[in-house]
Amino acid sequence: MQLSELPDLAHNRPAPLHWVATATAMAGVVALAGLLQPGGATASPTAGAGPSISSSAPPRAAHLPAPDAAAFPFPLECGSVGSVVTAKASGDLDGDGNPETVAAVRCDSGTGAPPNAVYVLNRDRSGKPRVVATLLGVAARETVGKGLTVRHGAVYATLLGYSSQNVPTCCPDVQEKVSWAWRGGAFVRSEQGDNKSV
């Protein structure tokens, strides 16, 4: 019979006291994790709607009018020419009772068709307007046509773009009808109807 060369570890077996201590420690960790949940985490009564856009706004910001896009300094780099709001619409986009403002903004250039950025404004904890989402960036090279609206909790717009880099910026040749809706804590973009060349 060959004896094992390993040392006898019988004296290292856990006693019942070790199991009780381990279980107590694990219960403490689970309880502590439950207490350290983020303060802004709330359940939404609407399935799949996710947190509201204005979940960080104070109660006193409720019932304030939608933010004024004309007076807001948008984060658009336009140099000395500045920026201009070309279209705006307001409405409650997340169902929390507070209206948001959607604004199409571009550099105030006198030539060509500068691309738009589309921003959503809401209010911060002090009630000041702030950008909470960028629906369209200027890198997309699209401009917002007529009819930027907020209906039934969604943003609707007609976007004008280009079929290729060779199309002059003055003359967009593609038209696309789109919408953005707040779902699961983010704005989701969808196509609306037939998109066509113009």
Side-chain angles (χ1 to χ4, degrees), residues 93-153:
L93 296 175
D94 58 356
D96 70 346
N98 295 317
E100 287 79 33
T101 297
V102 181
V105 185
R106 67 169 173 80
C107 292
D108 195 9
S109 172
T111 60
N116 281 118
V118 178
Y119 299 104
V120 177
L121 296 177
N122 202 324
R123 298 185 183 277
D124 65 13
R125 291 186 177 276
S126 67
K128 289 178 152 185
R130 64 179 178 141
V131 172
V132 293
T134 301
L135 302 181
L136 181 71
V138 293
R141 292 186 67 226
E142 294 176 306
T143 57
V144 175
K146 293 181 181 179
L148 176 70
T149 60
V150 172
R151 297 188 316 266
H152 311 296

Side-chain angles (χ1 to χ4, degrees), residues 51-125:
S52 72
I53 298 169
S54 56
S55 60
S56 63
R60 68 173 176 239
H63 309 299
L64 290 176
D68 182 9
F72 188 80
F74 288 96
L76 192 61
E77 296 180 14
C78 296
S80 61
V81 298
S83 64
V84 62
V85 175
T86 60
K88 62 183 176 178
S90 297
D92 185 2
L93 296 175
D94 58 356
D96 70 346
N98 295 317
E100 287 79 33
T101 297
V102 181
V105 185
R106 67 169 173 80
C107 292
D108 195 9
S109 172
T111 60
N116 281 118
V118 178
Y119 299 104
V120 177
L121 296 177
N122 202 324
R123 298 185 183 277
D124 65 13
R125 291 186 177 276

